[in-house]
């Protein structure tokens, strides 16, 4: 019944939400505090110059039509307008909140791709002693940090909540106790300042952050207001150290400069990351190979049948007695640099299965048995032996990843020859060894490898804010909540088990659905399809006269 209620509210409320947003009068930015940033000043000037709203509604209707047809880049550009139309193409600001697991992240991002301000409170020290995330401790840490993170991000951006255009927040998947903290804070901000609310899927945020500033609408927004364009190399600089660690024999990682950064520096525009593209999402809880056809439109090529790569990294790091701060994966990667990758004979998983699916349970068990036999206790005397085991595990684990990606590239190019990019995102994408190996996969297939900077691979507020920007451009927003706090017995939209998609490539393996996974929310892709179908049945939105037009009509009467 709860899932039916969720879908009923989501689908039947779409028309009312669209009408409410269309009727809402233009908001005016509050006066800035003295000493505010130039970006905030420029944003206030753009707010003051906003037109009556007829052009905005026309672009929104065009964007909705393009989105329903599946062309999300065209839809987003249509919602933005043209560079000459400052009222509709000026950069808008979205605040993103991430609290799905053990990091409290908040950021303010513009539609041009500029990160105006961000803050991050990590809980690595809290959970390190327990060998994993303790949900109740994580919730308490989120509650202690959320207000300070929001204030810090807004202060760094030099804006007030009234100058925002929307609030985006992760509603799933993740830990319910943790998700609730972020969702309630986002609701509070949206209600108090009359801001649209944008629910975000955690894994979609990871997938879309590679497009940060590298979309047609970002280029238009940057051209409309260069003061909000990202500084040159703002994201690329963070990746320079990683690119330098790949080794002389490795292909260079493609570090994507944002389009807005190039525009601000007067440089040629870099290649934009446009739909469709192939995406590998690798984290502690997910291993997904996806064909990304648009915002909310995903086709699954492969997934893990048991453990995710990030989970395997963490467990092997614990077995080796490593310090799990800042994470087990980062600790194992650093430890493996001193080891021999051929020191322990291990088999690559699933070599006889011609699919794009992953399995790391068997490899993890083989490593555990080797550790128990050769070095059950971590000592300085067996450090080299443990380093050899770490390096051998990493070599085979990433070889399995590489094999599956090569097949996924082949499948994607057969079904979508226009695919030009391989995007690798998620926490494990920060691993330099993984990036180096996958760069060769992309180069051999004639694709460009796009990896977010390491700081944007792990959970953060920037990715949620940018996912909110992508959805804001398509009009996929909810109206401001009626109150700051939920009433007694009021349902709060949390989706701890929320698949990204249930649409699979016919060649992918369909594992039997276990009882543990039966009670899940409708996938994001299916919800988007249901939304498009309902919009087609309802027909076009009626014209809503601008507030100024209504006033003129009343005066004439």
């Amino acid at each position: 019944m709860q899932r039916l209620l969720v879908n009923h509210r989501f689908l039947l409320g779409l028309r009312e939400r669209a009408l409410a947003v269309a009727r809402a009068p233009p908001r005016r930015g509050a006066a800035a505090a003295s000493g505010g940033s130039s970006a905030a000043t420029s944003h206030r000037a753009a707010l003051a110059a906003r037109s009556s709203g007829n052009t905005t509604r026309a672009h929104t209707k065009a964007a909705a039509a393009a989105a329903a047809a599946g062309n999300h880049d065209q839809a987003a550009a249509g919602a933005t307008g043209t560079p000459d139309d400052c009222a509709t193409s000026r950069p808008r600001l979205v605040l993103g909140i991430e609290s799905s697991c053990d990091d409290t992240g908040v950021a303010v991002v513009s539609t041009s791709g500029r990160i105006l301000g961000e803050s991050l409170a990590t809980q690595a020290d809290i959970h390190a002693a327990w060998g994993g995330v303790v949900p109740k401790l994580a919730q308490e840490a989120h509650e202690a940090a959320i207000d300070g993170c929001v204030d810090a991000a807004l202060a760094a951006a030099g804006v007030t909540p009234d100058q925002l255009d929307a609030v985006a927040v992760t509603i799933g998947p993740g830990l319910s106790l943790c998700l609730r903290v972020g969702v309630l804070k986002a609701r509070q901000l949206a209600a108090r300042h009359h801001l649209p609310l944008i629910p975000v899927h955690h894994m979609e945020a990871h997938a879309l952050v590679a497009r940060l500033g590298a979309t047609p609408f970002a280029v238009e927004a940057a051209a409309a207001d260069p003061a909000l364009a990202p500084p040159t190399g703002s994201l690329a600089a963070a990746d320079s150290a990683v690119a330098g660690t790949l080794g002389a024999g490795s292909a260079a990682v493609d570090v994507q400069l944002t389009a807005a950064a190039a525009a601000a520096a007067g440089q040629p525009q870099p290649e934009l990351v446009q739909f469709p593209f192939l995406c590998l999402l690798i984290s502690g809880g997910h291993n997904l190979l996806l064909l990304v056809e648009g915002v909310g439109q995903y086709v699954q090529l492969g997934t893990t049948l048991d453990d995710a790569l990030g989970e395997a990294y963490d467990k092997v790091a614990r077995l080796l007695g490593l310090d799990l701060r800042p994470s087990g994966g980062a600790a194992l990667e650093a430890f493996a640099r001193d080891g021999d990758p051929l020191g322990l004979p291990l088999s690559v998983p699933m070599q006889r299965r011609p699919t794009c699916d992953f399995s790391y349970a068997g490899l993890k068990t083989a490593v555990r048995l080797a550790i128990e036999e050769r070095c059950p206790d971590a000592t300085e005397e067996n450090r080299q032996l443990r380093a050899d085991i770490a390096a051998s595990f990493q070599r085979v684990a990433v070889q399995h990843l590489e094999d599956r990606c090569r097949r996924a590239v082949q499948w994607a190019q057969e079904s979508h020859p226009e695919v030009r990019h391989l995007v690798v995102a998620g926490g494990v994408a920060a691993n330099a060894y993984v990036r180096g190996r996958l760069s060769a996969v992309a180069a051999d297939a004639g694709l460009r490898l796009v990896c977010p900077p390491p700081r944007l691979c792990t959970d953060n507020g920037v990715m949620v804010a940018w996912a909110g920007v992508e959805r804001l451009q398509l009009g996929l927003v909810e109206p401001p909540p009626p109150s700051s706090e939920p009433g007694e017995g009021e349902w709060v939209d949390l989706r701890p088990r929320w698949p990204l998609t249930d649409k699979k490539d016919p060649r992918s393996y369909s594992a039997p659905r276990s009882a543990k996974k039966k009670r899940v929310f409708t996938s994001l892709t299916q919800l988007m399809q249901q939304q498009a179908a309902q919009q087609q049945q309802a027909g076009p939105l009626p014209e809503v006269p601008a507030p100024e037009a209504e006033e003129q009509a009343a005066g004439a009467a």
Side-chain angles (χ1 to χ4, degrees), residues 170-419:
T170 302
I171 66 170
L175 301 174
S176 295
L177 293 175
C178 300
L179 290 167
R180 186 178 182 86
V181 176
V183 168
L184 292 181
K185 182 61 178 180
R187 175 188 176 123
Q188 181 187 87
L189 285 170
R192 287 181 179 176
H193 303 282
H194 200 67
L195 299 170
L197 194 60
I198 307 176
V200 169
H201 191 291
H202 180 76
M203 297 312 295
E204 178 171 66
H206 275 301
L208 296 181
V209 74
R211 283 165 48 92
L212 178 67
T215 64
F217 68 78
V219 175
E220 294 182 0
D225 193 346
L228 284 180
T232 305
S234 57
L235 298 185
D239 232 10
S240 59
V242 175
T245 63
L246 297 180
S250 301
V253 171
D254 175 34
V255 180
Q256 186 75 35
L257 274 172
T258 67
Q267 299 174 352
Q269 296 292 342
E271 182 177 355
L272 303 183
V273 182
Q274 294 186 318
F275 302 119
F277 60 83
L278 181 63
C279 182
L280 170 65
L281 295 178
I282 40 178
S283 66
H286 297 84
N287 251 73
L288 286 169
L289 271 167
L290 302 163
L291 188 61
V292 184
E293 298 177 329
V295 175
Q297 297 184 2
Y298 300 88
V299 178
Q300 179 180 301
L301 304 181
T303 186
T304 181
L305 303 181
D306 37 63
D307 295 337
L309 177 57
E311 180 184 5
Y313 262 94
D314 290 342
K315 291 187 176 180
V316 171
R318 283 200 298 272
L319 290 171
L320 291 172
L322 303 181
D323 186 350
L324 302 182
R325 293 171 293 183
S327 68
L332 189 142
E333 178 192 4
F335 192 59
R337 295 192 186 108
D338 298 329
D340 178 8
L342 299 176
L344 180 67
L346 295 169
S347 299
V348 179
M350 298 180 66
Q351 289 183 295
R352 295 183 180 181
R353 285 197 180 183
T355 67
C356 297
D357 295 302
F358 306 90
S359 174
Y360 286 102
L363 176 61
K364 185 180 64 179
T365 300
V367 172
R368 177 178 60 81
L369 294 175
I371 293 173
E372 291 175 352
E373 178 184 354
R374 303 186 184 194
C375 49
D377 298 317
T379 64
E380 188 60 31
E381 288 73 18
N382 61 25
R383 187 184 188 283
Q384 185 58 52
L385 177 58
R386 290 185 293 124
D388 292 345
I389 293 176
S392 300
F393 162 76
Q394 180 168 250
R395 173 185 62 83
V396 175
V398 178
Q399 179 64 54
H400 181 40
L401 198 70
E402 184 179 348
D403 292 345
R404 289 353 229 186
C405 282
R406 289 188 185 278
R407 182 171 290 112
V409 168
Q410 179 183 348
W411 287 8
Q413 291 181 330
E414 289 175 358
S415 61
H416 293 70
E418 67 273 25
V419 168

Side-chain angles (χ1 to χ4, degrees), residues 22-201:
R23 290 194 181 102
R27 293 182 295 104
R28 300 291 177 181
S34 60
S37 66
S38 61
T41 304
S42 174
H43 182 64
R44 289 193 300 275
L47 282 172
R50 184 179 289 180
S51 66
S52 63
N54 288 328
T55 306
T56 302
R57 277 189 291 276
H59 283 299
T60 301
K61 293 179 67 177
N71 191 336
H72 281 213
D73 278 320
Q74 176 185 340
T80 305
T82 63
D84 295 331
D85 185 4
C86 296
T88 57
S89 63
R90 59 95 188 166
R92 294 185 284 178
L93 305 183
V94 175
L95 182 138
I97 298 177
E98 159 62 28
S99 67
S100 64
C101 191
D102 58 344
D103 288 318
T104 310
V106 181
V108 178
V109 176
S110 75
T111 49
S112 63
R114 182 184 178 94
I115 303 171
L116 278 77
E118 61 177 318
S119 62
L120 182 69
T122 181
Q123 303 175 14
D125 292 337
I126 297 175
H127 303 289
W130 302 93
V133 177
V134 181
K136 185 59 178 176
L137 295 180
Q139 178 197 21
E140 293 172 353
H142 282 303
E143 290 173 342
I146 189 69
D147 290 338
C149 283
V150 170
D151 292 343
L154 290 171
V159 299
T160 65
D162 287 327
Q163 293 170 288
L164 300 172
D165 290 276
V167 177
V169 62
T170 302
I171 66 170
L175 301 174
S176 295
L177 293 175
C178 300
L179 290 167
R180 186 178 182 86
V181 176
V183 168
L184 292 181
K185 182 61 178 180
R187 175 188 176 123
Q188 181 187 87
L189 285 170
R192 287 181 179 176
H193 303 282
H194 200 67
L195 299 170
L197 194 60
I198 307 176
V200 169
H201 191 291

Side-chain angles (χ1 to χ4, degrees), residues 549-557:
E550 292 178 348
E551 293 173 2
Q552 292 175 1

